[in-house]
């Protein structure tokens, strides 16, 4: 199937098919009787000599050198000139070339210049539209591939940040022979399985995304002080809703990274997911201490990652608000 599609999309297939059909149509149009005869095809082939010149000069010279470089006025002038050249070549073919050919057919030029100019103009305009539409399609395909590559790159950015700290937490549990060790390993395993095998899709079931987030929150609680207050509330019904994977993950990661740092009785992370109208995700945390490596800035790569993915996946269909207060940090995300 791939080979067949490649052949069909090749110009070495499309162009001959186009010209064969064109020769047939012209032969039928100028036919001298009710049935097509060899003289009709002979005439049509000669008629196509100036058409070949008009079409391929347009495709190979005028469009790439003028039209695609936004030289519209120059293109218009040259296109009109090219139609006139086609008319001149048509006259030369039937006045000078035809008598030199070894044939018993007697044919004269189709001398109605208005019809000739109209036909040459139609072919020139048609090939221009086909060329531009094909270029547009190829551009859209390239842009789509670029977006896909960028989205995959953004997904991989959110994967490794938590792994090292999670393994350290599990190591500490193992040293203390905690009964939580096995469950924690299972939570991490489920989380990694989700990230490795299920986020390749453009969208996932929101229920799976929530399960992943709950596993992540449980892992983060291991690293948090017991006094840290963590809440995750879901309002409304899932109803098989789907969403881009790992969209909320950097926001939660960011809250634990910054809010819980600098242990204090006031440390908290408050998460609310409202599904009553669209999807509204709200997360709020206290501000902990910031080390030199973070440059005194909350959010960083995680928030920029989310902004970029929202722009790519939900353009003009979302709102993303960051509220940076003196003592707390809040993010509100709404997807319509």
């Amino acid at each position: 199937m791939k080979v067949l599609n490649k052949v069909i999309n090749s110009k070495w297939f499309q162009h001959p098919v186009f010209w064969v059909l064109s020769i047939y149509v012209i032969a039928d149009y100028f036919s001298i009787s009710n049935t097509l005869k060899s003289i009709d095809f002979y005439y049509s082939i000669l008629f196509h000599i100036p058409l070949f010149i008009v079409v391929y000069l347009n495709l190979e010279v005028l469009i790439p050198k003028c039209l695609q470089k936004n030289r519209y006025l120059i293109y218009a002038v040259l296109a009109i000139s090219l139609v006139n050249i086609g008319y001149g070549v048509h006259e030369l073919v039937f006045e000078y070339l035809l008598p030199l050919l070894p044939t018993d057919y007697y044919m004269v030029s189709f001398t109605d210049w208005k019809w000739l100019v109209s036909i040459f103009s139609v072919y020139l305009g048609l090939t221009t539209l086909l060329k531009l539409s094909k270029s547009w399609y190829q551009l859209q395909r390239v842009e789509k591939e670029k977006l896909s590559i960028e989205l995959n790159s953004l997904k991989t950015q959110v994967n490794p940040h938590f792994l090292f700290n999670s393994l350290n937490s599990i190591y500490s549990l193992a040293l203390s022979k905690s009964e939580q060790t096995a469950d924690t390993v299972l939570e991490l395993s489920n989380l990694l399985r989700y990230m490795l095998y299920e986020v390749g899709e453009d969208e996932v079931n929101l229920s799976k995304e929530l399960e992943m987030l709950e596993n992540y929150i449980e892992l983060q609680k291991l690293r948090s002080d017991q006094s840290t207050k963590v809440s995750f509330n879901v309002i409304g019904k899932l109803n098989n809703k789907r969403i881009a994977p790992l969209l909320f993950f950097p926001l939660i990661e960011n809250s634990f990274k910054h809010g819980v740092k600098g242990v204090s009785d006031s440390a908290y992370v408050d998460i609310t997911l409202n599904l009553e109208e669209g999807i509204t995700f709200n997360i709020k945390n206290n501000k902990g201490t910031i080390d030199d490596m973070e440059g005194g800035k909350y959010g960083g790569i995680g928030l920029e990652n989310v902004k970029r993915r929202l722009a790519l996946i939900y353009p003009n269909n979302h709102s993303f608000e960051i509220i940076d207060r003196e003592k707390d940090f809040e993010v509100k995300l709404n997807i319509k």
Side-chain angles (χ1 to χ4, degrees):
M1 185 62 70
K2 290 183 179 180
V3 176
L4 180 61
N5 289 335
K6 188 175 182 180
V7 171
I8 293 175
N9 291 324
S10 169
K11 67 178 182 179
W12 303 109
F13 174 81
Q14 294 176 347
H15 285 225
V17 170
F18 173 81
W19 288 119
V20 168
L21 291 174
S22 178
I23 289 171
Y24 178 85
V25 170
I26 294 294
D28 184 65
Y29 184 78
F30 291 118
S31 177
I32 59 178
S33 63
N34 293 329
T35 58
L36 286 173
K37 298 180 179 180
S38 58
I39 188 174
D40 298 319
F41 290 104
Y42 196 83
Y43 178 87
S44 181
I45 291 172
L46 292 175
F47 189 90
H48 273 75
I49 292 176
L51 283 177
F52 290 148
I53 295 173
V54 169
V55 166
Y56 285 107
L57 280 177
N58 184 43
L59 288 176
E60 303 299 330
V61 180
L62 268 62
I63 292 176
K65 300 294 184 181
C66 301
L67 194 58
Q68 291 181 338
K69 293 184 178 180
N70 301 327
R71 299 171 181 172
Y72 303 119
L73 181 59
I74 296 176
Y75 175 79
V77 172
L78 293 178
I80 294 172
S81 301
L82 186 57
V83 170
N84 290 324
I85 291 172
Y87 176 77
V89 172
H90 177 88
E91 294 297 316
L92 289 174
V93 167
F94 284 92
E95 292 293 332
Y96 297 99
L97 178 61
L98 183 59
L100 299 176
L101 298 177
T103 176
D104 295 330
Y105 295 136
Y106 176 75
M107 290 177 287
V108 295
S109 171
F110 182 72
T111 55
D112 190 333
W113 69 271
K114 292 181 180 178
W115 277 100
L116 282 174
V117 169
S118 297
I119 292 173
F120 293 147
S121 299
V122 167
Y123 271 71
L124 186 142
L126 181 62
T127 53
T128 299
L129 289 175
L130 290 173
K131 178 69 174 180
L132 293 180
S133 63
K134 188 174 182 180
S135 299
W136 179 86
Y137 172 77
Q138 291 174 339
L139 179 63
Q140 293 300 309
R141 185 175 63 182
V142 170
E143 288 297 321
K144 186 176 181 180
E145 290 174 354
K146 286 172 61 179
L147 288 179
S148 178
I149 292 170
E150 184 174 357
L151 282 171
N152 287 333
S153 175
L154 289 171
K155 286 178 187 177
T156 58
Q157 286 181 14
V158 301
N159 289 352
H161 297 299
F162 73 96
L163 183 57
F164 179 75
N165 290 327
S166 297
L167 290 174
N168 276 340
S169 298
I170 293 172
Y171 177 70
S172 299
L173 290 174
L175 286 179
S176 62
K177 298 181 180 181
S178 171
E179 294 179 356
Q180 291 181 279
T181 304
D183 291 337
T184 305
V185 170
L186 183 60
E187 288 172 353
L188 180 59
S189 175
N190 291 334
L191 191 58
L192 291 176
R193 183 183 298 109
Y194 178 84
M195 289 184 167
L196 289 173
Y197 299 112
E198 299 192 41
V199 298
E201 301 177 14
D202 293 334
E203 289 184 332
V204 295
N205 285 328
L206 186 56
S207 58
K208 288 187 177 181
E209 188 78 0
L210 291 182
E211 182 180 348
M212 184 275 294
L213 294 177
E214 289 169 352
N215 285 334
Y216 176 75
I217 290 171
E218 290 302 316
L219 287 172
Q220 288 293 346
K221 285 181 179 179
L222 294 175
R223 299 179 52 235
S224 306
D225 187 83
Q226 291 183 353
S227 62
T228 300
K229 299 178 180 63
V230 180
S231 63
F232 185 12
N233 300 308
V234 179
I235 302 172
K237 296 180 179 180
L238 296 176
N239 292 332
N240 295 319
K241 288 187 178 180
R242 297 178 65 82
I243 194 171
L246 301 179
L247 200 56
F248 304 138
F249 182 85
L251 304 178
I252 296 178
E253 181 185 38
N254 187 70
S255 289
F256 277 98
K257 180 180 178 182
H258 297 299
V260 181
K261 185 176 291 184
V263 178
S264 69
D265 293 338
S266 61
Y268 71 91
V269 175
D270 185 14
I271 308 166
T272 302
L273 179 64
N274 193 320
L275 306 175
E276 293 180 338
E277 293 184 9
I279 299 175
T280 300
F281 184 85
N282 181 273
I283 184 166
K284 185 177 179 181
N285 59 269
N286 68 294
K287 281 189 174 180
T289 57
I290 305 177
D291 55 40
D292 293 337
M293 291 183 64
E294 290 162 356
K297 181 181 178 182
Y298 281 89
I301 295 176
L303 294 184
E304 292 303 320
N305 183 305
V306 175
K307 286 181 183 179
R308 183 58 183 153
R309 290 188 67 200
L310 286 169
L312 292 172
I313 303 171
Y314 303 106
N316 304 317
N317 204 26
H318 73 278
S319 62
F320 187 68
E321 182 181 5
I322 298 173
I323 305 171
D324 190 355
R325 304 185 185 91
E326 182 180 354
K327 294 183 178 181
D328 59 49
F329 193 84
E330 184 175 6
V331 177
K332 296 179 179 180
L333 166 61
N334 176 258
I335 300 173
K336 299 179 183 178

